[in-house]
C-alpha cells in the first residue's frame, strides 16, 4: 500500500531520544548573512548547552543565554494564572526571564522551537520583544512544526557545528497548542523579511530579518 | 565468682565517669590529634560596618599541598558582606554579598556557596550559586551543580552539562586583553581556527 505524503513525513520524524545532526539550510543562510559581522551578539533561548556555546564563542560572538524553552515545555506554574476558568499565560512575567539586553543590539535570536510551546495569544508580545532586540539586519531564527505533526516535541536543541543542529525529542508528547502557519508568522513580524526552509523532519526553519532602516 | 565480676564492672564504670566529670582533667587515653591544615588568617579582612578584623573562625587560610600557594576558605556556616581583596586563592562554601577583587588569584564557589558579587579574578570556578558580573583574566568554569546568573567576561568559559546559566558571555581576545598570557592567546587563536575550519 502506497504511503501518503503525510505518512512519509511522519516516518522521517525524529525518534525518541537524540536526533542525528542534520545540516540546516536555515542556519547556513544565517551564518552566511553574518559572515562580515566581526562580533555578532546572539541570544540563545534554549537550555544552556556547552556545545552550542563552543560553536558561538568560536564565532567570536557575545552570547546571551536565557532558557525560555524549559519553563514553556513544563508549563511552569510561575507563568500561568490558573485562578480563573481559562488559564491565563503571564507573558510579561515569562519574558522577564530574559537577561538585560539593550534594544536593537542583537544580531541573531535562536529561539528554536519556543513558539510551538507558547499559547497563541502570547505570540505578539513575545515576537514583539524579540524583534525590538534585533539590530538592523538582525535575524530571528525559529523552528516550527508542520501542521500535520501532532506529537514529537523537542526538549532541547543544540549546535554540533554552526549549521548542524541536533535535538532531543520526546516522540510521544503531543504539542500543547495549535500549529503556527507561515501566514501567521509573517503577520506577527510586520516589516520583517521572512524566509522559510522546509526540512525533512516535519519542521520549518523560519528566519525573519529586521530591515536596515529602523522603524521604531 | 560470677557475682564478683558483676560487682566489679559498675565500679570501673563509675570511676571512668568520675574522670570525665572532673574539670581540668585530661582524658586518660586521648585520641591522637589530626594535623590541621587550616591555620588562622592574618587579619586583613573586615566585616561590613565593623572595624574589627574578622574572626579567625570566619576566614581561614591553608597551605595547598600541591602548589604550596595560600588559600582562604569561607566556611559553610559563614555569612559575609562587603569588599574582599587579597593576594591568595579563595574558596567560598558560605554566603557572600559584595565585591571580590583577587586579580591574580582563583575564586572557587563550592557546591554550598551562595554569592551575590561582582568578581574580578584570574580564574573563577562555580559549583554553587552566583549572581553578579564576573571578569576573569583566564577562565571561568561553571560546574554541573553551578547556578549562575550574570555577565561573564574571560579568556575562556567552560560550562558543564547540567549547569544553569542565565546572562551573557563574552570572550576576551588577545588584542582586547593587554595582560593576556601567551597560553591564553594560543587558546584564543585555536578557537578561531576551529570556526574557520
Amino acid at each position: 500500500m502506497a504511503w501518503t505524503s503525510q505518512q512519509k513525513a511522519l516516518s522521517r520524524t525524529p525518534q525518541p531520544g537524540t536526533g542525528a545532526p542534520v545540516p540546516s539550510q536555515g542556519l547556513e543562510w544565517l551564518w552566511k548573512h553574518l559572515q562580515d559581522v566581526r562580533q555578532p551578539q546572539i541570544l540563545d533561548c534554549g537550555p544552556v548547552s556547552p556545545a552550542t556555546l563552543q560553536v558561538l564563542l568560536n564565532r567570536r560572538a557575545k552570547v546571551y543565554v536565557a532558557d525560555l524553552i524549559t519553563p514553556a515545555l513544563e508549563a511552569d506554574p510561575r507563568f500561568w494564572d490558573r485562578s480563573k476558568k481559562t488559564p491565563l499565560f503571564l507573558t510579561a512575567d515569562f519574558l522577564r526571564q530574559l537577561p538585560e539586553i539593550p534594544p536593537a543590539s542583537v544580531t541573531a535570536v535562536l529561539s528554536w522551537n519556543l513558539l510551538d510551546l507558547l499559547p497563541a495569544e502570547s505570540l505578539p508580545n513575545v515576537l514583539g520583544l524579540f524583534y525590538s532586540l534585533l539590530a538592523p539586519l538582525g535575524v530571528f531564527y525559529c523552528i516550527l512544526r508542520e501542521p500535520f505533526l501532532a506529537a514529537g516535541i523537542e526538549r532541547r536543541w543544540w549546535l554540533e557545528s554552526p549549521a548542524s543542529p541536533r535535538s532531543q525529542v520526546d516522540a510521544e508528547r503531543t504539542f500543547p497548542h495549535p500549529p503556527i502557519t507561515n501566514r501567521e508568522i509573517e503577520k506577527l513580524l510586520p516589516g520583517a523579511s521572512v524566509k522559510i526552509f522546509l526540512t525533512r523532519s516535519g519542521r520549518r526553519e523560519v528566519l525573519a530579518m529586521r530591515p536596515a532602516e529602523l522603524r521604531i | 565468682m560470677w557475682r564478683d565480676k558483676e560487682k566489679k564492672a559498675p565500679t570501673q564504670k563509675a570511676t571512668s565517669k568520675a574522670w570525665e566529670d572532673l574539670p581540668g582533667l585530661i582524658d586518660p587515653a586521648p585520641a591522637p590529634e589530626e594535623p590541621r591544615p587550616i591555620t588562622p588568617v592574618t587579619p586583613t579582612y573586615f566585616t561590613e560596618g565593623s572595624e574589627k578584623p574578622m574572626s579567625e573562625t570566619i576566614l581561614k587560610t591553608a597551605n595547598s599541598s600541591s602548589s604550596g600557594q595560600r588559600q582562604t576558605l569561607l566556611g559553610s556556616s559563614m555569612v559575609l558582606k562587603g569588599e574582599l581583596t587579597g593576594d591568595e586563592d579563595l574558596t567560598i562554601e558560605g554566603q557572600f554579598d559584595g565585591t571580590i577583587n583577587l586579580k591574580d588569584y582563583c575564586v572557587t564557589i563550592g557546591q554550598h556557596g551562595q554569592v551575590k558579587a561582582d568578581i574580578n579574578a584570574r580564574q573563577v570556578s562555580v559549583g554553587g550559586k552566583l549572581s553578579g558580573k564576573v571578569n576573569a583574566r583566564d577562565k571561568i568554569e561553571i560546574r554541573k551543580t553551578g547556578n549562575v546568573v550574570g555577565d561573564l567576561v574571560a579568556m575562556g568559559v567552560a560550562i558543564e552539562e547540567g549547569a544553569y546559566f542565565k546572562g551573557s558571555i563574552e570572550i576576551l581576545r588577545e588584542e582586547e586583553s593587554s595582560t593576556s598570557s601567551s597560553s591564553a592567546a594560543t587558546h584564543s587563536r585555536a578557537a578561531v581556527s576551529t570556526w574557520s575550519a
Side-chain angles (χ1 to χ4, degrees), chain B residues 129-168:
Chain B
K129 278 190 172 180
L130 168 65
S131 170
K133 290 179 182 174
V134 182
N135 204 315
R137 203 182 65 211
D138 284 358
K139 187 179 173 187
I140 300 169
E141 291 176 334
I142 306 178
R143 305 274 175 200
K144 62 182 173 189
T145 53
N147 181 317
V148 177
V149 177
D151 300 324
L152 315 181
V153 180
M155 291 290 277
V157 175
I159 299 183
E160 273 186 15
E161 199 73 56
Y164 177 83
F165 173 72
K166 182 172 98 172
S168 69

Side-chain angles (χ1 to χ4, degrees), chain A residues 76-189:
Chain A
D76 191 325
R78 288 178 299 161
F79 307 118
W80 285 93
D81 178 1
R82 297 188 190 275
S83 62
K84 289 160 194 162
K85 199 176 174 184
T86 310
L88 179 69
F89 184 68
L90 306 172
T91 311
D93 290 352
F94 180 76
L95 291 173
R96 265 196 283 276
Q97 293 179 98
L98 285 171
E100 214 168 282
I101 303 173
S105 67
V106 175
T107 325
V109 175
L110 304 177
S111 84
W112 306 114
N113 58 332
L114 176 67
L115 301 187
D116 267 342
L117 305 173
L118 295 176
E121 62 272 16
S122 71
L123 295 180
N125 286 341
V126 172
L127 282 170
L129 179 67
F130 284 144
Y131 201 64
S132 73
L133 296 177
L134 286 178
L137 299 178
V139 175
F140 171 78
Y141 172 84
C142 70
I143 295 168
L144 298 176
R145 75 183 197 271
E146 291 285 18
F148 60 80
L149 278 181
I153 296 182
E154 293 94 350
R155 300 194 65 82
R156 57 186 309 192
W157 284 90
W158 68 94
L159 291 174
E160 291 279 309
S161 70
S164 297
R166 203 163 178 181
S167 63
Q168 188 184 18
V169 186
D170 190 346
E172 303 290 311
R173 193 156 169 187
T174 53
F175 288 96
H177 307 290
I180 303 163
T181 63
N182 293 352
R183 177 170 281 228
E184 280 169 335
I185 202 81
E186 281 168 358
K187 268 186 175 178
L188 286 163
L189 292 162

Side-chain angles (χ1 to χ4, degrees), chain A residues 57 59-60 63 65 97 162, chain B residues 159 166-167 169 173 175 195:
Chain A
L57 294 176
R59 177 55 185 85
R60 306 175 72 106
V63 185
V65 180
Q97 293 179 98
Chain B
I159 299 183
K166 182 172 98 172
I169 301 173
R173 303 288 160 182
E175 64 268 27
W195 162 254

Side-chain angles (χ1 to χ4, degrees), chain B residues 1 5 19 25 30 40 44 59 70 81 110 112 124 132 171 191 193:
Chain B
M1 197 176 151
K5 272 189 181 175
W19 271 91
L25 286 177
T44 353
L59 282 174
R70 284 170 69 82
K81 290 183 180 181
H112 305 291
V124 179
I171 297 296
S193 66

